[in-house]
Amino acid sequence: RGDTNALPGMIVALEGDSDAEVRLEVAERLGSFDKDLRIVTALIKSLQSDSDAKVRARAGAALSRVAPLASVPLLTCALTNDAAEEVRVSAAEKLGNLKASNAIPALLVSVQFDSNSSVRVKAALALSEMRSPEVIARLVTALQAATNEAVRGVVTDTLHSFDHSDLMVILWEVANDSRGRSDREDVAAGRPQESLAALVPLLQPVM
């Protein structure tokens, strides 16, 4: 753990040093300390207002280590609102590491609508860490809309990580399957007549 005697000087540097590389290094080092209100406050300020995107991203990552629960709403805000893609990428990754179920709505929005494909990929990976049934339908929608191959691949892999009948039923619905009710009942009963691997191609977007 970090040397608490050095804390005051480190916090001053994070908040006021003109060199972004210095602030970047300090943010990283602060992430090695035990939870301390002074550190949490400084990292929050840096995440929200530092002029350098790398520093903001590093501050968010450090905050997720020092104060995991407190970091979730702040990282969610960064994922939604920060203009820099590297900050949004980092926020999505850390939310996944924390398995932050409260961030699921924001991550789902990012998977579908973020302008940057790297952010969409990280958001999908974060959702795969949570394995919540509520994300399935939205991920299927994201898969239908995705044109970037990396995004399609990660969303498909995320869907593969779910192993329950809800997934198959929703996939049948979204794919507009024309088979009869008895087939749907087979799926719901855990007797799918086609695997996820066979159903996913039905969701390819119309080119």
Side-chain angles (χ1 to χ4, degrees), residues 2 5 18 105 129 153 201:
N5 292 325
S18 60
E129 294 291 332

Side-chain angles (χ1 to χ4, degrees), residues 53-88:
K54 291 181 180 178
V55 176
R56 296 198 301 277
R58 191 70 58 85
L63 186 64
S64 73
R65 298 193 296 273
V66 174
L69 291 178
S71 73
V72 170
L74 296 156
L75 291 170
T76 302
C77 183
L79 172 66
T80 303
N81 297 318
D82 201 287
E85 63 189 60
E86 60 194 291
V87 177
R88 302 197 305 278

Side-chain angles (χ1 to χ4, degrees), residues 6-187:
L7 260 182
M10 293 173 67
I11 290 173
V12 168
L14 180 64
E15 293 181 344
D17 198 288
S18 60
D19 188 338
E21 290 299 322
V22 171
R23 301 197 306 276
L24 190 67
E25 180 181 351
V26 170
E28 178 67 27
R29 289 176 60 193
L30 287 174
S32 68
F33 282 77
D34 291 321
K35 186 175 182 179
D36 181 295
L37 182 59
R38 295 169 295 173
I39 295 173
V40 172
T41 301
L43 289 173
I44 290 173
K45 182 177 179 181
S46 180
L47 170 62
Q48 293 179 331
S49 62
D50 196 282
S51 60
D52 188 276
K54 291 181 180 178
V55 176
R56 296 198 301 277
R58 191 70 58 85
L63 186 64
S64 73
R65 298 193 296 273
V66 174
L69 291 178
S71 73
V72 170
L74 296 156
L75 291 170
T76 302
C77 183
L79 172 66
T80 303
N81 297 318
D82 201 287
E85 63 189 60
E86 60 194 291
V87 177
R88 302 197 305 278
V89 164
S90 179
E93 180 180 11
K94 299 311 172 187
L95 289 168
N97 291 346
L98 294 170
K99 295 180 172 58
S101 59
N102 290 345
I104 286 175
L107 288 165
L108 285 167
V109 170
S110 293
V111 168
Q112 290 186 259
F113 302 116
D114 197 280
S115 60
N116 183 268
S117 62
S118 295
V119 178
R120 298 196 299 273
V121 166
K122 284 295 185 183
L125 287 171
L127 289 167
S128 72
E129 294 291 332
M130 300 176 206
R131 298 174 180 266
S132 170
E134 73 179 273
V135 310
I136 296 173
R138 293 284 291 276
L139 284 176
V140 171
T141 301
L143 180 61
Q144 286 184 294
T147 56
N148 181 278
E149 286 303 313
V151 175
R152 288 188 60 80
V154 171
V155 173
T156 301
D157 288 344
T158 300
L159 287 168
H160 273 286
S161 74
F162 292 89
D163 185 22
H164 47 73
S165 60
D166 288 347
L167 172 57
M168 300 304 295
V169 171
I170 291 172
L171 281 172
W172 278 68
E173 293 292 340
V174 176
N176 293 316
D177 178 75
S178 62
R179 295 172 175 80
R181 179 178 176 82
S182 62
D183 283 352
R184 295 185 189 278
E185 290 172 347
D186 284 343
V187 172

